[in-house]
Amino acid sequence: GRPLLNLSFALNYAFGGLALAPYHAVNLVLHILAGIVLMGVIRRTLTHHSGSQACHDSQACNGSQACKEHAEPISRFCALIWLLHPLQTESVTYVTQRAESLVGLFYLLTLYCSIRARSFRRSVVWPTAAFFACLCGVASKEVMVSAPLAVVMYDLTFSGRNRWLLLRQRRRFYAWLFSTWIPLFLLISQGRQASAGFGFGLSSWDYLKIQFGAITRYLRLSLWPDALVLDYGVGALQGPTEILPSAILVSLLAVVSLVAIKYQPWIAFLGFLFFAELSPSSSIIPIVTQTAAEHRMYLPLASVTVIAVVGIWQTCIAISKWRQRDNDAVQRAWIVPSCLLSLMACSFGYLTFARNFEYADAIRLWSTNIQRWPESLRPYMLIGSEFLEKKRDALTAIAWYDRAVASYQTVRQQQKWTKHVDLQLAGVYFGRGTAHSQLRNFEQALADFDRTLELNPKIVNAHFYRGMVLGQLGREDEAIASLTQALELEVSPERLYIRGDILGRQHKYLDAINDLSLAIRLDPFNPSFYQSRGQSLFGLGRYPDALGDLSEALRLFPDYVNARKSRGMVYAAMNRHAEAIDDFSQVIVLAPRLAE
């Protein structure tokens, strides 16, 4: 459902494969471009439209005039603080969250181009650019749904008494922007069913209750980003005493935004943007994989930043004018807010650097996640996976998987929904089963794979690994049944090879040859496939064919002991004893354990 995002990853892969640096570079460039566009939106708003809002008292008028006079530094500080804020780390450093920076860029471009279109009413360039920016945003992420509304709200807010005339004049432009909802709904209908919707046991009301606490935390982290978390888990259902304060705060912010329409329309507009940009992910449609996520604040953070920066600037200017009657001193009033905001930007930059240091190591990242948000369950599993796959430490991995199992079981008992928790728990059992199989604890591994498939029978590798473990335990018929289930879900040469190898050991040579021949067609460069098929051909007495396969295996891997040993046996069966002796002599050198 996000074709432009997918295209960007495809281009990254086409030019650089899986090298991380190009992916990070693209994410960073998108983020910087979004910051530049944000600066342009704020500067043009302060320069051209700050005076258009009604001033109900002299202080408001003075504040508006001060913002207009200092539009350049205010817009730069807003963009700089927004760019450097540590809350943005997840959207920029976490590669696959490029969706946020990409849609953020196009969202801001849509707004900027629509603002420019007001100054060039007879030109079609800026309206066309706004339409295509909106269309690109739609192809990037669902958050773009509110962009056409944001353009209309901007015009209502910053057009003064001419707002209704402007709306009539731009009605065709609005129609084009709202027409992008058609492809948006078509794209939404294609995907996201695996992570969003109502079929996972989490009701709209329960999800909405979680969002009150999530939005409150987002706001706190916007002002004081001291404990950032990558994974908040599936969210715990809270009682009324925990939900009520957050619900009151969020409702109060919404009311303030509505009241500000009359007195400070710019605050009302920013409040609308904040809630409109969060609404696709923080409303009533459950996103069960992440009931809370910091990357959702990528665009809404701009509203908080602008209110904070403009508030600090206006306050410092007002205090300076109150204390200093000298005109020269008043003209130098910009120095104090500039110093304060520079200090804020530097502090955020340092915190962002520290946050990226945590991202640099997976175990460090997930360990801090557990320290700051122990209710999240997936980090336990991911640390176990890191020890299993990267550190090759199966014992430590099992200890982490054990902690994960205990935590998941507790959550299943406490919460009202279990489907998504069960899917994650299946992944934990699968990881622990893999670790046990590496340690050759095959009985424990089999029990874990069985539990995995009870919770999620669609995990292909659980069927596959279970089949291999059953083969190691000598339960070959059960192994073939499990491998067959894996192949019914997804065909792969490795699975065909394992089933063919077991069939060969059972002397079911024709079935084995069929599996191994298909495996070779899918992957013609794996010497094990040729070696196994050669043995089955030898079992059927088709010595020349067997000799061809075994020779091909040795061509691909000259030191392949089993292939050389099998070829020696074929040579002996064909009475080509000199060649058999030559192969056996090489086996003795390569593997002295086989000397006898």
Side-chain angles (χ1 to χ4, degrees), residues 149-213:
L149 292 170
V151 172
V152 175
M153 289 299 298
Y154 184 94
D155 288 345
L156 283 171
T157 303
F158 298 106
S159 300
R161 295 187 181 91
N162 299 322
R163 60 172 67 94
W164 302 114
L165 175 62
L166 182 64
L167 289 181
R168 284 197 300 272
Q169 290 174 343
R170 284 162 65 91
R171 61 184 182 275
R172 185 175 297 178
F173 171 61
Y174 298 145
W176 277 103
L177 289 183
F178 280 103
S179 71
T180 60
W181 282 2
I182 298 171
L184 176 63
F185 292 138
L186 291 174
L187 290 170
I188 290 174
S189 67
Q190 289 181 16
R192 313 299 295 160
Q193 292 92 346
S195 59
F198 302 103
F200 295 88
L202 178 59
S203 70
S204 296
W205 176 237
D206 287 334
Y207 185 70
L208 183 62
K209 288 189 291 186
I210 294 170
Q211 295 315 299
F212 287 127

Side-chain angles (χ1 to χ4, degrees), residues 524-527 530-531 546-557 563 567:
F525 302 106
N526 192 315
Y530 291 100
Q531 189 269 340
L547 188 61
D549 270 356
L550 295 167
S551 297
E552 179 62 16
L554 289 167
R555 186 188 69 81
L556 293 168
F557 182 29
R567 193 174 71 170

